[in-house]
Amino acid sequence: MNDDTLPNCELCATSGGVVLWQSALCRVVRVEHPDYPGFCRVIWNRHVREMTDLAAEEREELMRVVFAVESVVRALFSPDKINL
């Protein structure tokens, strides 16, 4: 654990799900949920409370990953709706 993580934060202390992809900044995980087969999370590796706590360039990178995940989930699962 580094200085940017919190020991009592589940997403800092664990992977948060099955890691599908990761970079130095964030990771994409699949969350096991029987009602939501395409449930994925994009988790910033450094602990931040809200997306607006990120620098502008970090937010741009985060959203690039979020939109890529949305595209893949739509292609694989054809959901009625995507919630971000």
Side-chain angles (χ1 to χ4, degrees):
M1 185 176 321
N2 63 45
D3 293 338
D4 294 325
T5 61
L6 297 178
N8 60 341
C9 173
E10 178 184 348
L11 298 178
C12 287
T14 70
S15 63
V18 176
V19 177
L20 302 175
W21 178 87
Q22 61 186 356
S23 73
L25 298 175
C26 63
R27 64 191 180 274
V28 176
V29 300
R30 182 174 47 82
V31 178
E32 294 288 343
H33 194 293
D35 295 328
Y36 303 100
F39 183 11
C40 292
R41 285 186 176 138
V42 178
I43 302 167
W44 202 252
N45 292 332
R46 178 173 49 85
H47 184 88
V48 291
R49 185 173 301 277
E50 304 295 342
M51 289 190 294
T52 53
D53 293 335
L54 298 169
E57 59 275 359
E58 292 175 319
R59 281 181 283 193
E60 290 174 13
E61 175 63 12
L62 175 63
M63 293 314 297
R64 185 188 67 74
V65 174
V66 167
F67 294 141
V69 170
E70 177 185 352
S71 294
V72 171
V73 168
R74 289 184 73 190
L76 291 175
F77 295 98
S78 299
D80 293 330
K81 178 74 176 95
I82 295 281
N83 292 313
L84 302 176

